[in-house]
Amino acid sequence: MGKSRSPRRRQAGAEAVVESVDGGCAQLIPDRDRPRAWTLLIDGAPQSHVDLDDPGRLCFDYQRRLGHVIDLAAPPGKPVHAVHLGGGALTLARYVAATRPRSTQQVVERDAALVQLVRRELPLDPGARIRVRSADAREGLAKVPDGWADLVVADVFSGARTPAHLTSGEFLDEVRRALRPGGVFAANLADGPPLAHLRGQIATAAARFTQLALVADAAVLRGKRFGNAILAASDHPLPLAELTRRAASDPHPGRVAHGTTLSDFTGGALPVTDATAVASPAPPASVFR
């Protein structure tokens, strides 16, 4: 598909960039309120929002909640080693680079054409230590050295569904191998009623990590509507009080489930294995209207 000029030369009156990528039709839609801010959509589904002038600003609720986990994964401003599974517009890698200068990051994004589009139209700060690899998320994770990462963030969607092989206990074994002791795993999960996928994901994480927290809208946790939920997992205590405070103070307040509440939430769901894994459910069409 056709594309317009680079946003580096656009300010007022910016036009959308539309281009075919491996995952479908990618659109970069300009934010009319911010001259260098853009929303990435794939086949009409919003994927991420990035503000080149203010990469520390997270617009989407799920990205803001992932940002809270990132903020609390280490002391403020401390550089980290981070692995991002799923790149999108590289919003969260830019966020880490802005809030934790001198961090070293690896981004694994399967869609090579999307990576090229984003790097061309929404260029990274040349001083950021961000390496982007075009590969399957699990294959890319397998190349991360043992104990290298302080933080692993999984935000992988093929279309609007998380691939099955990124939902299993064997996948989490790879995450644990890559994490240093006390490192944090954060994942963007999506589900709707009856929340069978989300319950299975919590059961799977509980079989691999001792400390869990889930951040989501109350309506999503009650199974009233489809939406995103952010899982944080570690073998060291999570900063639950501060995570709860931050989630509650967001423009769209979120709730944090942990401990017995989260155990009860699983409702007896069994951990997922490679043999039983399925992709996350497709969102209803009404979600993107």
Side-chain angles (χ1 to χ4, degrees), residues 169-198:
E170 290 89 339
F171 165 65
L172 291 186
D173 287 338
E174 275 297 304
V175 171
R176 282 183 57 90
R177 180 198 59 74
L179 282 172
R180 66 164 178 80
V184 176
F185 172 59
N188 178 25
L189 309 174
D191 200 8
L195 299 179
H197 172 73
L198 188 55

Short mmCIF file of all heavy atoms in Angstrom, two decimals, residues 169-198:
data_model
loop_
_atom_site.label_atom_id
_atom_site.label_comp_id
_atom_site.label_asym_id
_atom_site.label_seq_id
_atom_site.Cartn_x
_atom_site.Cartn_y
_atom_site.Cartn_z
N GLY A 169 3.30 -23.24 30.15
CA GLY A 169 4.30 -23.34 31.20
C GLY A 169 5.70 -23.47 30.65
O GLY A 169 6.67 -22.94 31.23
N GLU A 170 5.86 -24.16 29.53
CA GLU A 170 7.17 -24.29 28.91
C GLU A 170 7.69 -22.92 28.45
O GLU A 170 8.90 -22.66 28.53
CB GLU A 170 7.10 -25.26 27.74
CG GLU A 170 6.88 -26.72 28.14
CD GLU A 170 5.41 -27.11 28.27
OE1 GLU A 170 4.56 -26.21 28.43
OE2 GLU A 170 5.13 -28.31 28.20
N PHE A 171 6.80 -22.08 27.97
CA PHE A 171 7.20 -20.71 27.63
C PHE A 171 7.68 -19.98 28.88
O PHE A 171 8.72 -19.30 28.86
CB PHE A 171 6.03 -19.98 26.99
CG PHE A 171 6.19 -18.48 26.93
CD1 PHE A 171 7.19 -17.90 26.16
CD2 PHE A 171 5.35 -17.64 27.66
CE1 PHE A 171 7.34 -16.51 26.11
CE2 PHE A 171 5.49 -16.26 27.61
CZ PHE A 171 6.50 -15.70 26.83
N LEU A 172 6.95 -20.13 29.98
CA LEU A 172 7.37 -19.46 31.22
C LEU A 172 8.67 -20.03 31.77
O LEU A 172 9.41 -19.31 32.45
CB LEU A 172 6.26 -19.56 32.26
CG LEU A 172 5.00 -18.74 31.97
CD1 LEU A 172 4.03 -18.81 33.15
CD2 LEU A 172 5.33 -17.29 31.65
N ASP A 173 8.96 -21.29 31.48
CA ASP A 173 10.27 -21.83 31.86
C ASP A 173 11.39 -21.05 31.16
O ASP A 173 12.44 -20.77 31.76
CB ASP A 173 10.36 -23.31 31.48
CG ASP A 173 9.52 -24.20 32.38
OD1 ASP A 173 9.21 -23.78 33.52
OD2 ASP A 173 9.16 -25.31 31.95
N GLU A 174 11.17 -20.69 29.90
CA GLU A 174 12.15 -19.89 29.18
C GLU A 174 12.26 -18.48 29.76
O GLU A 174 13.35 -17.91 29.85
CB GLU A 174 11.80 -19.82 27.69
CG GLU A 174 12.29 -20.98 26.86
CD GLU A 174 13.82 -21.04 26.85
OE1 GLU A 174 14.48 -20.05 26.47
OE2 GLU A 174 14.36 -22.08 27.26
N VAL A 175 11.12 -17.92 30.16
CA VAL A 175 11.13 -16.60 30.81
C VAL A 175 11.95 -16.66 32.09
O VAL A 175 12.83 -15.81 32.33
CB VAL A 175 9.70 -16.12 31.11
CG1 VAL A 175 9.72 -14.86 31.97
CG2 VAL A 175 8.93 -15.87 29.81
N ARG A 176 11.71 -17.66 32.90
CA ARG A 176 12.43 -17.80 34.18
C ARG A 176 13.93 -17.98 33.94
O ARG A 176 14.76 -17.43 34.67
CB ARG A 176 11.89 -18.98 34.98
CG ARG A 176 10.58 -18.70 35.68
CD ARG A 176 10.15 -19.92 36.51
NE ARG A 176 11.17 -20.29 37.47
CZ ARG A 176 11.25 -19.81 38.71
NH1 ARG A 176 10.34 -18.96 39.15
NH2 ARG A 176 12.20 -20.20 39.52
N ARG A 177 14.28 -18.75 32.93
CA ARG A 177 15.69 -18.97 32.63
C ARG A 177 16.39 -17.65 32.28
O ARG A 177 17.52 -17.40 32.68
CB ARG A 177 15.81 -19.95 31.45
CG ARG A 177 17.26 -20.26 31.05
CD ARG A 177 17.32 -20.85 29.66
NE ARG A 177 16.76 -19.97 28.64
CZ ARG A 177 17.36 -18.87 28.19
NH1 ARG A 177 18.56 -18.51 28.65
NH2 ARG A 177 16.78 -18.12 27.26
N ALA A 178 15.69 -16.79 31.53
CA ALA A 178 16.29 -15.53 31.10
C ALA A 178 16.36 -14.49 32.22
O ALA A 178 17.20 -13.59 32.18
CB ALA A 178 15.52 -14.96 29.91
N LEU A 179 15.46 -14.60 33.20
CA LEU A 179 15.41 -13.63 34.29
C LEU A 179 16.51 -13.87 35.31
O LEU A 179 16.82 -15.01 35.65
CB LEU A 179 14.06 -13.69 35.00
CG LEU A 179 12.86 -13.02 34.33
CD1 LEU A 179 11.59 -13.36 35.09
CD2 LEU A 179 13.05 -11.49 34.27
N ARG A 180 17.05 -12.79 35.84
CA ARG A 180 17.94 -12.92 36.99
C ARG A 180 17.11 -13.26 38.22
O ARG A 180 15.89 -13.04 38.24
CB ARG A 180 18.68 -11.60 37.22
CG ARG A 180 17.77 -10.46 37.65
CD ARG A 180 18.56 -9.30 38.24
NE ARG A 180 17.68 -8.20 38.60
CZ ARG A 180 16.95 -8.15 39.72
NH1 ARG A 180 16.97 -9.15 40.59
NH2 ARG A 180 16.18 -7.10 39.97
N PRO A 181 17.71 -13.76 39.30
CA PRO A 181 16.95 -13.98 40.53
C PRO A 181 16.30 -12.68 41.00
O PRO A 181 16.96 -11.63 41.07
CB PRO A 181 18.03 -14.45 41.52
CG PRO A 181 19.08 -15.08 40.65
CD PRO A 181 19.11 -14.25 39.40
N GLY A 182 15.02 -12.71 41.26
CA GLY A 182 14.30 -11.52 41.67
C GLY A 182 13.80 -10.67 40.52
O GLY A 182 13.17 -9.63 40.73
N GLY A 183 14.07 -11.09 39.26
CA GLY A 183 13.59 -10.36 38.11
C GLY A 183 12.07 -10.43 38.00
O GLY A 183 11.40 -11.23 38.66
N VAL A 184 11.51 -9.59 37.15
CA VAL A 184 10.06 -9.45 37.03
C VAL A 184 9.61 -9.78 35.62
O VAL A 184 10.22 -9.33 34.63
CB VAL A 184 9.62 -8.02 37.40
CG1 VAL A 184 8.12 -7.84 37.19
CG2 VAL A 184 9.99 -7.70 38.86
N PHE A 185 8.55 -10.55 35.53
CA PHE A 185 7.88 -10.85 34.27
C PHE A 185 6.56 -10.10 34.24
O PHE A 185 5.80 -10.12 35.20
CB PHE A 185 7.62 -12.35 34.15
CG PHE A 185 6.77 -12.75 32.97
CD1 PHE A 185 7.17 -12.44 31.68
CD2 PHE A 185 5.58 -13.43 33.16
CE1 PHE A 185 6.39 -12.82 30.58
CE2 PHE A 185 4.80 -13.81 32.07
CZ PHE A 185 5.20 -13.51 30.78
N ALA A 186 6.30 -9.39 33.15
CA ALA A 186 5.04 -8.67 32.98
C ALA A 186 4.44 -9.07 31.64
O ALA A 186 5.16 -9.14 30.63
CB ALA A 186 5.27 -7.16 33.03
N ALA A 187 3.14 -9.34 31.62
CA ALA A 187 2.49 -9.80 30.40
C ALA A 187 1.16 -9.09 30.21
O ALA A 187 0.40 -8.89 31.17
CB ALA A 187 2.27 -11.31 30.44
N ASN A 188 0.89 -8.73 28.98
CA ASN A 188 -0.40 -8.18 28.59
C ASN A 188 -1.29 -9.33 28.14
O ASN A 188 -1.00 -9.98 27.13
CB ASN A 188 -0.23 -7.16 27.47
CG ASN A 188 -1.55 -6.57 27.00
OD1 ASN A 188 -2.53 -6.55 27.74
ND2 ASN A 188 -1.58 -6.11 25.77
N LEU A 189 -2.34 -9.60 28.89
CA LEU A 189 -3.28 -10.68 28.59
C LEU A 189 -4.62 -10.07 28.19
O LEU A 189 -4.99 -9.00 28.69
CB LEU A 189 -3.47 -11.58 29.81
CG LEU A 189 -2.18 -12.10 30.47
CD1 LEU A 189 -2.52 -12.87 31.74
CD2 LEU A 189 -1.39 -12.98 29.51
N ALA A 190 -5.35 -10.74 27.32
CA ALA A 190 -6.65 -10.24 26.90
C ALA A 190 -7.67 -11.37 26.93
O ALA A 190 -7.39 -12.48 26.47
CB ALA A 190 -6.57 -9.64 25.49
N ASP A 191 -8.84 -11.08 27.50
CA ASP A 191 -9.88 -12.10 27.61
C ASP A 191 -11.21 -11.43 27.91
O ASP A 191 -11.27 -10.23 28.25
CB ASP A 191 -9.54 -13.10 28.72
CG ASP A 191 -10.28 -14.42 28.59
OD1 ASP A 191 -10.95 -14.63 27.56
OD2 ASP A 191 -10.19 -15.25 29.52
N GLY A 192 -12.26 -12.19 27.77
CA GLY A 192 -13.60 -11.75 28.11
C GLY A 192 -14.36 -12.90 28.74
O GLY A 192 -13.81 -13.99 28.92
N PRO A 193 -15.62 -12.67 29.09
CA PRO A 193 -16.39 -13.73 29.75
C PRO A 193 -16.41 -15.00 28.89
O PRO A 193 -16.51 -14.90 27.68
CB PRO A 193 -17.78 -13.11 29.87
CG PRO A 193 -17.80 -11.94 28.93
CD PRO A 193 -16.39 -11.46 28.82
N PRO A 194 -16.20 -16.17 29.54
CA PRO A 194 -16.17 -16.46 30.98
C PRO A 194 -14.77 -16.44 31.60
O PRO A 194 -14.56 -17.03 32.66
CB PRO A 194 -16.74 -17.87 31.04
CG PRO A 194 -16.22 -18.52 29.78
CD PRO A 194 -16.24 -17.43 28.73
N LEU A 195 -13.79 -15.82 30.95
CA LEU A 195 -12.43 -15.64 31.46
C LEU A 195 -11.65 -16.95 31.59
O LEU A 195 -10.73 -17.06 32.40
CB LEU A 195 -12.45 -14.91 32.83
CG LEU A 195 -13.04 -13.51 32.83
CD1 LEU A 195 -13.00 -12.92 34.24
CD2 LEU A 195 -12.30 -12.59 31.85
N ALA A 196 -11.99 -17.93 30.79
CA ALA A 196 -11.29 -19.21 30.87
C ALA A 196 -9.81 -19.06 30.52
O ALA A 196 -8.95 -19.68 31.17
CB ALA A 196 -11.96 -20.23 29.95
N HIS A 197 -9.51 -18.26 29.51
CA HIS A 197 -8.11 -18.06 29.12
C HIS A 197 -7.34 -17.38 30.24
O HIS A 197 -6.23 -17.82 30.61
CB HIS A 197 -8.03 -17.22 27.85
CG HIS A 197 -6.64 -16.82 27.48
ND1 HIS A 197 -5.72 -17.71 26.96
CD2 HIS A 197 -5.99 -15.62 27.57
CE1 HIS A 197 -4.59 -17.08 26.73
NE2 HIS A 197 -4.71 -15.82 27.10
N LEU A 198 -7.89 -16.31 30.79
CA LEU A 198 -7.20 -15.57 31.84
C LEU A 198 -6.98 -16.44 33.08
O LEU A 198 -5.90 -16.43 33.68
CB LEU A 198 -8.00 -14.31 32.20
CG LEU A 198 -7.34 -13.31 33.14
CD1 LEU A 198 -5.98 -12.87 32.63
CD2 LEU A 198 -8.25 -12.10 33.34
#
